[in-house]
């Protein structure tokens, strides 16, 4: 009987230590507006090169001209915990860097699993899935791509459709 009590106490202690460790563990999320460099440094995700995600050079040049002449803003919402964001964010960043030339008009926001972040920007744009890329002109949303480009399209194609819209 004494041995059974000792085993029970020992197992109880181990179980409580394990439960305590689980309750104090917090998953690290990148939340709020963050630079692209900071995001990739904190997550250890890899940026990609144009050879890894080719877009038609004429399409990129056309997008570059459209972007600069109309001064669009690009908002990216992602989850540092999300495999879709890990897969697509490097592609989005690559394309936007080629189009914009700088990160002045690119805004990257990390959200939690409820798609919220401290500034309320994700709520303002009604973010439901990540990654989400939103294009604005004069503060008004003119288009968005949610999670992935549509089948048979690339991020370049999606942006071309958005930036080619007639804006009043």
């Amino acid at each position: 009987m004494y041995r059974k009590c000792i085993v029970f106490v020992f197992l109880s202690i181990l179980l409580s230590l394990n439960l305590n460790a689980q309750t104090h563990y917090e998953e690290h999320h990148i939340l709020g507006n963050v630079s692209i460099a900071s995001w990739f440094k904190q997550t250890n995700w890899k940026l990609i090169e144009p050879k890894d995600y080719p877009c038609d050079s004429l399409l990129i040049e056309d997008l570059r001209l459209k972007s600069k002449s109309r001064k669009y803003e690009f908002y990216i919402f992602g989850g540092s915990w999300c495999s879709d964001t890990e897969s697509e964010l490097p592609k989005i960043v690559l394309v936007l860097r080629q189009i914009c030339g700088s990160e002045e008009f690119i805004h990257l926001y990390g959200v939690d699993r409820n798609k919220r972040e401290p500034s309320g920007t994700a709520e303002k744009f009604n973010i439901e899935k990540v990654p989400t890329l939103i294009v604005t002109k004069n503060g008004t949303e003119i288009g968005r791509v949610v999670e992935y480009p549509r089948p048979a399209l690339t991020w370049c194609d999606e942006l071309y459709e958005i930036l080619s819209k007639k804006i009043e």
Side-chain angles (χ1 to χ4, degrees):
M1 178 72 174
Y2 180 70
R3 281 187 168 176
K4 286 183 182 178
C5 285
I6 296 228
V7 168
F8 178 75
V9 169
F10 180 73
L11 289 176
S12 297
I13 291 170
L14 284 177
L15 182 60
S16 77
L17 289 174
N18 187 37
L19 288 175
N20 192 35
Q22 288 177 357
T23 57
H24 289 301
Y25 172 77
E26 286 185 28
E27 189 175 24
H28 174 72
H29 296 301
I30 297 174
L31 296 177
N33 188 240
V34 63
S35 72
I36 292 168
S38 179
W39 181 287
F40 281 87
K41 183 177 180 182
Q42 288 182 55
T43 61
N44 287 321
W45 296 354
K46 303 293 181 225
L47 288 165
I48 60 174
E49 300 293 322
K51 67 179 174 51
D52 300 321
Y53 189 71
C55 288
D56 181 277
S57 59
L58 293 175
L59 181 60
I60 290 291
E61 186 56 34
D62 195 28
L63 286 166
R64 188 177 294 129
L65 292 172
K66 288 177 187 310
S67 172
K68 287 185 180 180
S69 67
R70 298 185 188 141
K71 298 206 173 152
Y72 297 102
E73 299 275 334
F74 301 92
Y75 293 84
I76 309 166
F77 296 88
S80 55
W81 43 268
C82 173
S83 61
D84 291 344
T85 301
E86 184 175 5
S87 162
E88 298 306 302
L89 184 60
K91 298 171 191 171
I92 298 167
V93 167
L94 172 70
V95 171
L96 289 178
R97 281 180 166 172
Q98 288 178 314
I99 292 168
C100 298
S102 77
E103 296 175 15
E104 180 181 358
F105 302 106
I106 304 170
H107 312 283
L108 176 57
Y109 287 84
V111 298
D112 64 18
R113 291 183 182 274
N114 294 316
K115 316 310 179 287
R116 300 218 186 322
E117 47 76 39
S119 73
T121 306
E123 287 182 86
K124 172 186 159 195
F125 282 112
N126 195 29
I127 301 303
E128 294 179 0
K129 296 180 180 182
V130 291
T132 294
L133 170 63
I134 296 176
V135 181
T136 66
K137 171 80 170 141
N138 297 323
T140 302
E141 180 178 333
I142 62 165
R144 73 171 57 198
V145 183
V146 179
E147 291 187 297
Y148 295 94
R150 290 171 288 164
L153 297 180
T154 66
W155 287 99
C156 298
D157 299 325
E158 292 282 14
L159 281 166
Y160 184 79
E161 281 192 25
I162 293 169
L163 298 185
S164 296
K165 290 179 181 177
K166 293 253 186 228
I167 303 168
E168 300 171 18

